Structures are given as C-alpha cells and as structure tokens.
Amino acid sequence: MGWIALALGLILLGLLLYWQLVIAEGVYLGPHIVTLLYNWSARAYERIKQFDAGAEQWFLGLPLARALELIPAPLVLDVATGTGRLPRVLLHQPSFDGRIIGLDLSRRMLQEAVRRTAQFADRLTFLWQDARALPFDDDTFDAVTCLEALEFTPDPRAVLAELVRVLRPGGVLVVTNRVGPDAKFLPRHAFPRDEFERLLREFPLEDAKVQTWQVDYDLAWAVKAGEPQGGGIRPLAAILRCPTCGGQMNREAQAFRCIGCGRVYPIAEDGVIEIAKETR
Ligand SMILES: C[S@@+](CC[C@H](N)C(=O)[O-])C[C@H]1O[C@@H](n2cnc3c(N)ncnc32)[C@H](O)[C@@H]1O
C-alpha cells in the first residue's frame, strides 16, 4: 500500500513539474524561473524551434515590410526578441530600410541574438529589460512586435498595454496568442481566440485581425488608433527613458545615465544595453 502511495505521489509530482517547467516554462513560478530556463536553453533554442526560412518570410517578414513600406526609415521594437528571430526576418527584406530594437529579459538569449544578427549590427540595438516596463517614451515606434512570448510574461494584459503605449498612432502592432493543445494548461496567460479579440478591443487599436498561424499560435495584426504622427529613426538617447524614474538619458562612452535619478545603465562589451542590471 505504502509503495503504491509513494509511486502515485511521484507520478503526480512528475506531472506537476512537467506542467510548470515544460508546458508553462516557469510562468506561474515567476519571471526569475522563466529567465533561468531561457538562459539554460538559449544555445539550443533555434535547434529546438527549427524555423522554416520561407514560412518566416511569408508570414512575418514580407507582410511587416509591406505594412511599413510608406514610412521612411521606420523604427521597430521587438519585445521578447529571444535569439533575434524577428529582426533577422525583417532585415532580410530588401524594402525595409529601418532600425530595430530587440528587448528581452534573458541575457543569454540576447547573447545568441547578437551572434546571430552580426551581419546587421549597424541597424540593431539589443536591450536587457523586462517587457513589463518598456524604457521608452509613449508613441515612439512605427511597429511593435512580440512573438511567442506574451504567455510567458507574468501579466499578458499589462505587457499588451506597454506594447500599445510605446507604439505611435498609426503604427503596427504584431502579437501572438497561444492556442493549440497546451493552451488549456496556461490559464490567464493564453486566451481563446474570441477572448483575445475582446482583449485587443480594450486598447486603442483599429483593424485588429487575429489569424491562424501555427499549431500553437495565432498571429494578431492591428494599428494604433489616432492621427498618425512621429515615428522614424531617432538617436537612442532621444527615446530611451529611465524605467525607474521616467527621466531622459544621456549617452556616455559605455553607458546611458539618467538625467533625473543618476542611475547608470551599462553598455556591455557585446553592445547590449543592460537596463535590467540596475532594475532587477
Ligand atoms: C518562446 S521565446 C520567443 C522568442 C522570439 N520572440 C521568437 O519568436 O523566437 C520567449 C521569449 O520571451 C522572453 N521573455 C519571457 N518573459 C519576459 C519578460 N517578462 N520580459 C522580456 N522578455 C521575456 C524569454 O526570455 C524568451 O526569449
């Protein structure tokens, strides 16, 4: 009897760990665990994902480049950029002549991103920071993207609000929502399609379309409501804001310094701006 109870207990524990660490990737245990898991798996990430270059261009690169083609030198923010998938796809599009900022909370994923995007280094900046506090002014970017990541953030609604805040009116939002067999094991982090459409309607967005994309993800496109304004490439110091006090930043040799509170955010040797080093 005792052995049976022990075996059942171990099976339950195994299932619980599988749910929390493999399916939910640590999201119910907090951002430190999510980040730890991505730091561990960063080198293997692209081998596991096996992105299909043609499909990536067809579903992401081409439509996004088209959506931006009337904007001279567009500025794009890719939140939870991981190993730099979206930057690579977009920078390979000949019609895209803009710049991209990629942000992620896993430093190791960013290390991989830097390595895998080296050929585009002069058109890319990477930031180590949490998506819940995007260190930018309101209404800044011509496009904001966040792929396969909302469900791994502690509060997808709050992150969506941040994505929309930094998008300029008339700018394009591209986000994914987790669907497929595992979505039911991600309560409050993955949404049935109609609920996700309703969620998008809570924000000042127009023309929201949610389309089937992959087995595990729907892809949503929307435009921020309001009179189109702003946008285009600007120096980082002009758009970066201190996530602690909201102050403007001054560029120094190897750091950004907040004019308001004096906090210093280092620029690492690989070029990544380490905001999270100060704010964690
Ligand atoms: C499945 S990967 C997706 C990466 C990339 N967007 C792609 O499509 O390949 C999820 C990414 O979200 C990042 N992430 C998770 N929580 C985050 C947070 N709170 N802030 C910023 N990035 C986060 C992880 O570090 C990881 O790189």
Side-chain angles (χ1 to χ4, degrees):
M1 199 61 192
W3 287 107
I4 293 173
L6 182 66
L8 277 177
L10 285 175
I11 289 169
L12 276 178
L13 182 67
L15 288 173
L16 189 69
L17 287 176
Y18 185 78
W19 169 39
Q20 288 295 321
L21 298 179
V22 179
I23 298 178
E25 299 190 7
V27 71
Y28 298 104
L29 305 172
H32 286 291
I33 302 296
V34 175
T35 308
L36 192 74
L37 293 175
Y38 274 102
N39 279 340
W40 278 345
S41 60
R43 298 291 298 264
Y45 180 78
E46 298 235 354
R47 216 179 324 121
I48 296 166
K49 291 298 250 187
Q50 294 282 325
F51 296 124
D52 176 309
E56 292 284 286
Q57 288 303 339
W58 183 255
F59 289 102
L60 294 174
L62 198 60
L64 188 52
R66 283 221 178 112
L68 295 170
E69 82 196 339
L70 295 180
I71 301 157
L75 186 61
V76 175
L77 174 68
D78 183 37
V79 175
T81 195
T83 51
R85 168 198 196 173
L86 188 280
R88 280 201 311 275
V89 151
L90 187 55
L91 287 163
H92 268 114
Q93 281 293 318
S95 69
F96 179 73
D97 62 351
R99 273 196 76 94
I100 305 176
I101 297 177
L103 173 148
D104 203 282
L105 194 51
S106 157
R107 190 62 180 83
R108 289 272 167 80
M109 291 292 269
L110 288 173
Q111 231 167 28
E112 279 297 302
V114 170
R115 194 172 69 78
R116 289 173 178 273
T117 56
Q119 69 183 111
F120 301 114
D122 56 335
R123 298 170 66 193
L124 260 169
T125 306
F126 288 110
L127 248 70
W128 181 23
Q129 172 60 354
D130 194 319
R132 288 175 295 174
L134 297 177
F136 302 105
D137 234 349
D138 298 356
D139 302 338
T140 293
F141 294 94
D142 298 293
V144 176
T145 56
C146 181
L147 303 177
E148 303 191 15
L150 265 188
E151 73 272 30
F152 301 125
T153 63
D155 183 350
R157 239 189 198 84
V159 171
L160 255 180
E162 273 295 271
L163 304 181
V164 176
R165 177 184 70 76
V166 300
L167 184 64
R168 71 160 173 83
V172 183
L173 178 75
V174 187
V175 288
T176 56
N177 174 44
R178 184 72 174 259
V179 291
D182 288 345
K184 55 181 166 302
F185 298 110
L186 293 165
R188 298 189 327 277
H189 289 257
F191 306 89
R193 182 183 279 192
D194 56 340
E195 208 180 297
F196 193 63
E197 285 170 339
R198 268 202 304 280
L199 177 60
L200 292 176
R201 283 200 291 273
E202 288 176 17
F203 297 97
L205 296 169
E206 292 169 344
D207 300 331
K209 288 180 199 71
V210 182
Q211 66 190 55
T212 302
W213 182 32
Q214 306 168 9
V215 177
D216 287 325
Y217 287 99
D218 277 353
L219 187 62
W221 296 76
V223 171
K224 185 164 174 182
E227 192 61 33
Q229 54 171 328
I233 295 178
R234 269 146 297 152
L236 253 184
I239 57 168
L240 260 186
R241 292 291 172 268
C242 172
T244 312
C245 77
Q248 285 191 308
M249 304 269 228
N250 255 348
R251 171 88 202 238
E252 299 183 344
Q254 273 311 306
F256 279 87
R257 181 186 294 275
C258 173
I259 296 171
C261 66
R263 277 193 174 73
V264 176
Y265 301 104
I267 304 171
E269 267 182 20
D270 62 359
V272 174
I273 304 170
E274 297 187 316
I275 308 265
K277 203 168 199 166
E278 269 292 305
T279 55
R280 268 178 316 167

